[in-house]
Amino acid sequence: MLDRIEKLRADILEESGNIKSTDLLEQFRIKFLSRKGLLNDLFEEFKTIDKTEKAKVGKSLNDLKNFAQNIFDEKKIQLTKSKEEKKSVTDYTLPGRTYNIGTKHLITQALEEITSIFERIGFKVYDGFEIEDEYHNFDALNTPDYHPSRDMQDTFYLESKGKDKRYLLRTHTSPGQIRVMEQQQPPVRVIVPGKCYRNEAISSRSLAVFHQVEALYVDTNVTFRELKGTLDYFAKEFFGKDLKTRMRPDYFPFTEPSAEVDVECYLCKGKGCRICKYSGWLEILGCGMVDPNVFDIVGYDSEKYTGYAFGMGIERTLMIKHGIPDIRMFYENDIRFLKQFK
Ligand code: DAH
């Protein structure tokens, strides 16, 4: 029996040289170490041998078993190690990782661009309040309380019980004009960018929250011609030279005379289409010469000073600039949309 043990040791040694994969390792285990393996056969046989030989044979048999087990254990460690090493090899031919870096929202970019266009011609920025009182949002802007824009349907009023005034979310940036004139004497040249709120039905053309930029210029001898020149300058800077603008007479309580400024429709280039309601034009802002009543209210000498003002809708303006068909797209935060305005 000792011979057979030695023969098996030689076989084990020989086969151990071939263990190059986990599959081969498993075959090795089944062949030698499992319950039906060759070592077990010898152990079975060992039960039947003569008592006098048992001590000696038993020892070599146990040695052989340890020998085989050690080979198995070592190979197993080697194989898992080399697998991990393979895994961690760096492949320098792989393309680099790209990281998505956030950018400013399209509206923020536009507010900054518009601000810088006006700063270049001497305007300063004033931050108005989003929560306003009725006086600054309406009364001081010569908007009597029977005016339709004071209707509950348009304005979000705030709970003002126990307060000395009625508060609301500003419906336009125009109250910024009043705040500035209350604080400083002419000459005044400011813009007021920011959010506005109206209780509007949401559609492709209107939202309950939107942005405006207000402008106010007051000095001696400010003329309507300067207003027109400033708006032409803005349109050229912001839209580029190829979009025409026009002015139409209009009415606002706080300006006299008042006008509406239209830009040629971006889609049909003036021919008339669904977007411009077949007029060929899209309205971007309201403007006019500051009504002397407003000067009287803030304590400016309306005999001495004149001024112009305008208020422009930012979403509307951007829709024209970029051909955006639906105002809701600004706030859906679809990354495919936002990425186009990096
Ligand atoms: N506040 C007006 C609106 O929201 C827009 C406007 C019109 C602003 C005429 C002005 C202006 O400053 O002079 O519809």
Side-chain angles (χ1 to χ4, degrees):
M1 186 157 181
L2 281 173
D3 288 349
R4 303 241 306 286
I5 290 174
E6 281 319 303
K7 167 86 178 57
L8 190 55
R9 181 188 292 276
D11 288 352
I12 288 172
L13 193 62
E14 194 184 325
E15 295 217 5
S16 73
N18 299 331
I19 304 176
K20 300 251 156 58
S21 70
T22 44
D23 282 350
L24 292 170
L25 180 68
E26 181 61 4
Q27 281 175 25
F28 175 87
R29 187 189 67 79
I30 293 167
K31 183 165 177 188
F32 300 110
L33 287 161
S34 71
R35 280 217 290 138
K36 290 183 180 154
L38 296 172
L39 266 161
N40 221 38
D41 291 349
L42 288 182
F43 274 102
E44 286 301 317
E45 203 179 322
F46 171 73
K47 289 177 189 162
T48 64
I49 63 169
D50 198 86
K51 264 188 194 150
T52 54
E53 283 185 57
K54 271 212 164 142
K56 210 174 165 197
V57 174
K59 189 175 176 303
S60 355
L61 202 48
N62 274 329
D63 282 352
L64 181 59
K65 191 185 170 196
N66 289 337
F67 176 69
Q69 187 65 47
N70 284 342
I71 289 176
F72 175 83
D73 292 346
E74 254 171 45
K75 289 280 175 190
K76 191 173 176 177
I77 291 170
Q78 272 175 20
L79 284 170
T80 47
K81 240 197 207 160
S82 66
K83 216 182 195 178
E84 270 163 23
E85 271 163 16
K86 254 185 221 152
K87 244 193 246 163
S88 70
V89 166
T90 309
D91 181 352
Y92 293 103
T93 65
L94 287 173
R97 260 181 223 156
T98 54
Y99 294 96
N100 277 329
I101 299 168
T103 51
K104 286 179 185 163
H105 189 272
L106 168 61
I107 301 274
T108 310
Q109 289 179 37
L111 287 173
E112 287 179 358
E113 187 186 348
I114 294 169
T115 303
S116 97
I117 289 173
F118 285 109
E119 276 176 340
R120 265 178 261 152
I121 54 168
F123 282 79
K124 293 266 176 291
V125 178
Y126 173 78
D127 275 323
F129 304 122
E130 286 179 31
I131 294 178
E132 265 297 359
D133 54 53
E134 211 171 13
Y135 173 77
H136 287 88
N137 196 79
F138 292 125
D139 299 85
L141 285 160
N142 202 30
T143 310
D145 57 8
Y146 53 78
H147 194 276
S149 66
R150 297 185 67 152
D151 196 305
M152 285 297 282
Q153 279 172 17
D154 292 328
T155 308
F156 289 115
Y157 284 94
L158 302 177
E159 190 70 73
S160 310
K161 244 186 238 153
K163 304 249 163 57
D164 52 338
K165 291 176 205 157
R166 211 167 161 211
Y167 288 93
L168 46 81
L169 296 177
R170 71 173 171 202
T171 56
H172 50 180
T173 42
S174 304
Q177 290 185 32
I178 305 298
R179 299 255 172 214
V180 171
M181 290 190 282
E182 282 173 346
Q183 284 167 23
Q184 88 189 60
Q185 287 300 308
V188 166
R189 205 196 291 247
V190 288
I191 58 165
V192 188
K195 280 199 185 78
C196 304
Y197 303 82
R198 279 185 209 174
N199 196 356
E200 297 260 10
I202 292 173
S203 72
S204 63
R205 292 165 65 89
S206 57
L207 291 172
V209 185
F210 57 95
H211 294 75
Q212 285 189 344
V213 173
E214 189 82 14
L216 173 71
Y217 176 32
V218 184
D219 205 343
T220 48
N221 300 319
V222 176
T223 63
F224 198 90
R225 197 167 51 187
E226 280 177 274
L227 168 61
K228 201 162 184 304
T230 306
L231 292 173
D232 277 348
Y233 156 78
F234 168 76
K236 287 210 173 78
E237 290 290 308
F238 191 71
F239 293 112
K241 297 202 165 38
D242 51 346
L243 278 187
K244 288 199 195 91
T245 55
R246 74 171 185 187
M247 263 182 166
R248 278 182 296 119
D250 202 344
Y251 169 78
F252 293 101
F254 36 93
T255 41
E256 183 58 37
S258 304
E260 196 94 71
V261 173
D262 296 337
V263 178
E264 197 181 34
C265 176
Y266 61 86
L267 197 68
C268 61
K269 292 267 182 298
K271 285 190 204 85
C273 68
R274 193 176 48 85
I275 296 282
C276 58
K277 292 187 179 155
Y278 302 96
S279 68
W281 297 93
L282 292 161
E283 154 200 332
I284 58 160
L285 61 84
C287 63
M289 301 305 290
V290 180
D291 193 304
N293 283 346
V294 175
F295 284 153
D296 292 343
I297 289 167
V298 296
Y300 277 10
D301 185 345
S302 56
E303 293 293 322
K304 187 170 165 196
Y305 297 112
T306 52
Y308 68 68
F310 57 87
M312 136 170 71
I314 301 308
E315 284 82 354
R316 184 61 75 77
T317 310
L318 281 172
M319 287 167 82
I320 295 171
K321 182 170 176 171
H322 298 298
I324 297 165
D326 190 316
I327 196 167
R328 289 168 289 201
M329 294 174 93
F330 287 105
Y331 300 102
E332 279 165 356
N333 282 336
D334 185 330
I335 210 89
R336 293 164 302 179
F337 172 77
L338 295 175
K339 266 191 172 168
Q340 297 175 50
F341 306 100
K342 274 208 260 193

